[in-house]
Amino acid sequence: NKGEISINGNTEITGFRISTRWTSKQMVYFVIQFSKPFKKFGVANGNHAKENSRNKTGKNTKSYVQFDTEAGEMIYVRVGISAVSVDGARKNLEAEQPAFDFEKTRAATVALWNKELEKIEVDTDDEKDKRIFYTAMYHAKLAPNIYQDVDGRYLGRDRKIHESNAFNYYTVFSLWDTYRALNPLFSIIDRQRTSDFIQTFLKQYEQAGLLPIWELAAYETFCMIGYHSIPVITDAYMKGITGFDPNKALEAMRHSAEISEKQLKSYKIHRPPIIVGVSYIRYSAGMDDYRKYGYIRKGFINNSVSKTLEFAYDDWCIAQMAKKLNNTEVYNTYIKRAANYKNHFDASTGFMRYRNKRKFITPFSPTKVSQNYTEGNAWQWSFYVPHDLTGHMKLLGGKEKMGIFLDSLFTTSSSIKGMIHQDVSGLIGQYAHGNEPSHQIAYEYDYVGQPWKTQSMVRRIMNELYNDKPDGLSGNEDCGQMSAWYIFSSVGFYPVCPGSNQYAIGSPIFNKAMLHLENGKTFTVQTTGNGNGNVYIKSATLNGIDYTKSYLMHEDIANGGVLELVMSNEPNKNWGSSDSDVPKTSID
């Protein structure tokens, strides 16, 4: 780490800090101002301070100030930061925090957070559930972060200073985690922010030659698999979010899917320093195999099964975007690649298995956490075909057999073999709610015509794996994804396949949940007879008309309206279970 400190007069400190852990040369410029002049001051490299010294540059740079105070006297400190310059930090400070008024600042902060949190308004008799919900809403709003100064200047992916006045430029894109639920949540309640995210993606593509994978502070960390800017873009565009050039987006999406491993190794933006278990190789290795063979060979590439499954889903998203843009040639290419998940399916066991050339490799244990699966095992990953659940059912032998396979996941032993991985947590059987690859699985019962099992299981997950204590999550928050799952599930539905515009219905916990939309409309989920073990949907109406489907369409929400659910402690196996009433995803 390296930094610079300057003490200006007797009320201000300025400087910068460069850190090099997750990213190379993460820049933070700062301006610190005090409400009272300090009496003594000094700066130092290491632990040797020199009184009255005002400037230092180097490693382990620090400063001190000393005040004369009376008992109970308060000294206030204002801090402005920037990734561009000290001048940018000063402008941000003057615009965002112009005075030393703590109470006014606190009141303004409360008002700002309430404006964000009340985008979903819930009514419940259980204060604990309300605390969990609004804590989740708070977590969901913590990232991504605006990365530009108030004058529009920002540090781009080419490490040059750019300016944007048309949209807010963001950073902290934990896309492997957030494309599943957090970004779809923003596509409902934060549509302008979502447009800004995508415009940021495209600027990063212009500046660096690649859509973000896991971007932080103007660097690509490459720390997860897949190319998951793509589902964020597709899901937003399918839901009517605009403000970006969709044809340019499709071009950028195809580039991410077609870039070779050799090109990535010579990627023009500096690669980050390697941290434990993380490097650009984790992202890039296997892409050539995937395009050549339709699967990734174990023994050559780590995370082979997980990569193939997620690449296939991302390719399905490219196909949907191309179809929407009437680009038949691109659609045909990527819809075929979307079926590549089948190349890891073992009909003799029902699991997605690692393979080399034409053979599945033995010995095989579905409970073993290994380098063949990303942060998980075959149990957790064998259900990851969100874009073609119809095809997956056929491979398993039909809806009934897939239902049995789902039952087995939740009822088998929770014993884990192989590598110790802290992210494989929050276990119900082999379902691991503490990590993202499992998050859609409980809702897959809807697709096999057994929605009462979805209703029961999502309630169990909410009740057992979320609470209002410091250890209230069963795994890593991952920039809001863990909380986004709860937000969706607690109001009653979930985006199993972002890009499809369908939401699988679960079991809402509130008397009423109102989603206040940016178009001025409100979508309400209202329940009767909730609580006391009444986790099952007995009947439903949508805008006063009987509703028998176990899913909602995005238009149902965007147009505003009321979904009313009558709850019961006994499952109604007739509701939402017929072939015409279940959600579907398929490769046609």
Side-chain angles (χ1 to χ4, degrees):
N1 293 341
K2 182 180 178 180
E4 178 180 281
I5 292 177
S6 296
I7 297 180
N8 308 319
N10 58 357
T11 59
E12 182 181 89
I13 303 175
T14 61
F16 67 84
R17 179 180 184 272
I18 304 173
S19 61
T20 56
R21 177 53 173 163
W22 201 341
T23 64
S24 299
K25 297 183 180 179
Q26 182 175 352
M27 299 293 303
V28 179
Y29 294 90
F30 59 87
V31 173
I32 304 172
Q33 295 180 348
F34 300 87
S35 61
K36 179 178 180 174
F38 37 80
K39 181 180 178 181
K40 293 183 180 180
F41 59 87
V43 295
N45 289 117
N47 295 319
H48 302 285
K50 183 178 180 181
E51 189 171 344
N52 296 326
S53 59
R54 290 184 175 272
N55 304 96
K56 281 289 182 181
T57 301
K59 293 185 177 181
N60 199 17
T61 305
K62 58 190 72 174
S63 65
Y64 75 92
V65 294
Q66 181 178 335
F67 299 87
D68 278 341
T69 60
E70 298 177 358
E73 181 181 356
M74 296 284 187
I75 297 173
Y76 297 97
V77 185
R78 299 185 299 166
V79 182
I81 61 172
S82 167
V84 174
S85 65
V86 168
D87 182 57
R90 190 182 304 281
K91 289 179 180 178
N92 294 339
L93 180 61
E94 291 171 352
E96 297 173 350
Q97 187 60 53
F100 292 106
D101 190 328
F102 183 82
E103 292 304 325
K104 184 177 179 180
T105 299
R106 178 161 63 180
T109 303
V110 168
L112 181 63
W113 271 107
N114 277 336
K115 182 179 179 181
E116 290 298 314
L117 300 181
E118 68 186 10
K119 288 183 177 181
I120 303 180
E121 187 178 353
V122 301
D123 173 45
T124 177
D125 300 324
D126 192 324
E127 287 298 311
K128 177 182 175 182
D129 287 343
K130 182 180 283 190
R131 281 193 297 272
I132 297 171
F133 179 83
Y134 283 110
T135 299
M137 284 286 286
Y138 170 71
H139 286 181
K141 297 283 186 171
L142 290 176
N145 309 138
I146 292 176
Y147 198 54
Q148 70 185 45
D149 294 342
V150 293
D151 61 6
R153 284 157 50 90
Y154 65 89
L155 179 65
R157 281 279 301 281
D158 54 5
R159 309 304 292 176
K160 298 178 181 178
I161 304 304
H162 300 267
E163 185 173 342
S164 170
N165 294 308
F167 65 94
N168 285 323
Y169 186 91
Y170 281 83
T171 189
V172 189
F173 289 111
S174 180
L175 294 164
W176 183 81
D177 308 294
T178 64
Y179 82 85
R180 305 164 196 266
L182 182 70
N183 289 109
L185 177 65
F186 289 156
S187 290
I188 298 174
I189 63 171
D190 275 302
R191 293 169 67 82
Q192 182 56 56
R193 286 183 75 198
T194 298
S195 179
D196 286 355
F197 297 159
I198 296 171
Q199 290 180 78
T200 299
F201 292 173
L202 296 180
K203 279 298 178 185
Q204 294 191 0
Y205 169 65
E206 288 179 10
Q207 296 160 4
L210 193 68
L211 289 171
I213 307 302
W214 208 128
E215 181 271 348
L216 175 65
Y219 275 97
E220 180 53 69
T221 69
F222 288 113
C223 77
M224 295 306 296
I225 66 171
Y227 24 92
H228 295 316
S229 292
I230 288 170
V232 175
I233 297 170
T234 298
D235 189 57
Y237 193 61
M238 297 297 285
K239 292 172 180 174
I241 293 174
T242 58
F244 59 93
D245 181 345
N247 289 294
K248 182 177 181 179
L250 182 62
E251 170 199 310
M253 293 158 74
R254 293 184 64 199
H255 180 74
S256 289
E258 300 298 339
I259 193 168
S260 70
E261 293 174 34
K262 183 177 180 180
Q263 287 175 304
L264 278 168
K265 287 177 181 178
S266 60
Y267 189 58
K268 65 183 180 181
I269 300 300
H270 297 298
R271 293 192 293 272
I274 294 175
I275 57 178
V276 178
V278 174
S279 77
Y280 81 102
I281 295 174
R282 185 176 192 182
Y283 163 69
S284 65
M287 295 181 75
D288 292 349
D289 257 19
Y290 174 77
R291 287 187 291 267
K292 183 176 181 179
Y293 303 113
Y295 64 92
I296 298 173
R297 297 171 293 172
K298 188 267 178 189
F300 292 88
I301 307 298
N302 288 338
N303 307 292
S304 59
V305 180
S306 303
K307 284 182 174 180
T308 297
L309 297 177
E310 292 201 344
F311 288 166
Y313 165 69
D314 288 343
D315 286 345
W316 178 86
C317 290
I318 297 175
Q320 302 315 301
M321 189 78 174
K323 185 177 182 180
K324 186 82 170 174
L325 294 171
N326 297 315
N327 192 326
T328 303
E329 181 181 356
V330 172
Y331 171 79
N332 287 336
T333 296
Y334 287 94
I335 200 66
K336 291 175 183 176
R337 279 175 42 167
N340 281 341
Y341 74 89
K342 296 178 181 180
N343 294 323
H344 281 289
F345 179 77
D346 174 20
S348 68
T349 64
F351 289 100
M352 299 291 179
R353 290 182 56 180
Y354 39 93
R355 57 184 294 183
N356 196 358
K357 296 184 179 178
R358 296 177 183 233
K359 296 180 180 179
F360 291 112
I361 295 173
T362 56
F364 167 74
S365 169
T367 63
K368 184 177 181 180
V369 176
S370 70
Q371 291 288 1
N372 303 295
Y373 303 92
T374 302
E375 299 178 3
N377 61 25
W379 269 114
Q380 289 123 36
W381 277 99
S382 291
F383 293 91
Y384 194 76
V385 192
H387 60 292
D388 190 22
L389 285 166
T390 301
H392 190 201
M393 287 176 210
K394 290 179 181 177
L395 293 178
L396 288 166
K399 287 184 178 181
E400 183 178 347
K401 289 190 176 180
M402 184 169 179
I404 293 171
F405 196 35
L406 283 163
D407 290 342
S408 299
L409 169 75
F410 290 106
T411 57
T412 193
S413 167
S414 295
S415 176
I416 297 288
K417 299 178 181 178
M419 297 167 52
I420 296 174
H421 205 296
Q422 64 271 26
D423 287 315
V424 185
S425 59
L427 292 167
I428 299 175
Q430 286 291 317
Y431 173 86
H433 191 72
N435 207 22
E436 284 71 24
S438 288
H439 276 189
Q440 84 290 346
I441 299 176
Y443 286 91
E444 292 187 17
Y445 280 118
D446 279 355
Y447 293 75
V448 301
Q450 299 176 19
W452 65 92
K453 291 184 179 178
T454 285
Q455 294 154 28
S456 175
M457 187 53 65
V458 297
R459 278 293 188 102
R460 180 179 175 185
I461 294 167
M462 284 188 281
N463 289 337
E464 293 184 8
L465 299 176
Y466 290 85
N467 65 61
D468 59 347
K469 297 177 181 178
D471 61 349
L473 298 175
S474 60
N476 187 345
E477 175 64 85
D478 282 323
C479 293
Q481 169 60 27
M482 194 70 67
S483 287
W485 186 97
Y486 184 88
I487 292 166
F488 268 118
S489 297
S490 63
V491 302
F493 52 91
Y494 188 80
V496 170
C497 181
S500 73
N501 281 14
Q502 288 183 338
Y503 302 92
I505 293 177
S507 178
I509 65 173
F510 300 118
N511 299 329
K512 182 188 291 187
M514 294 177 286
L515 284 72
H516 301 299
L517 311 179
E518 286 166 309
N519 62 6
K521 298 181 179 180
T522 296
F523 182 76
T524 300
V525 179
Q526 188 165 325
T527 63
T528 301
N530 216 338
N532 299 320
N534 293 354
V535 304
Y536 299 104
I537 297 173
K538 182 178 180 180
S539 63
T541 61
L542 180 61
N543 300 326
I545 300 172
D546 286 345
Y547 194 76
T548 59
K549 300 183 185 302
S550 60
Y551 65 92
L552 292 167
M553 297 301 295
H554 182 74
E555 308 87 79
D556 297 327
I557 298 167
N559 292 333
V562 180
L563 176 66
E564 295 185 78
L565 303 174
V566 177
M567 309 302 291
S568 170
N569 60 5
E570 294 289 337
N572 178 1
K573 297 183 179 181
N574 294 318
W575 184 86
S577 58
S578 68
D579 286 345
S580 60
D581 287 332
V582 302
K584 295 182 177 69
T585 60
S586 62
I587 295 175
D588 299 322

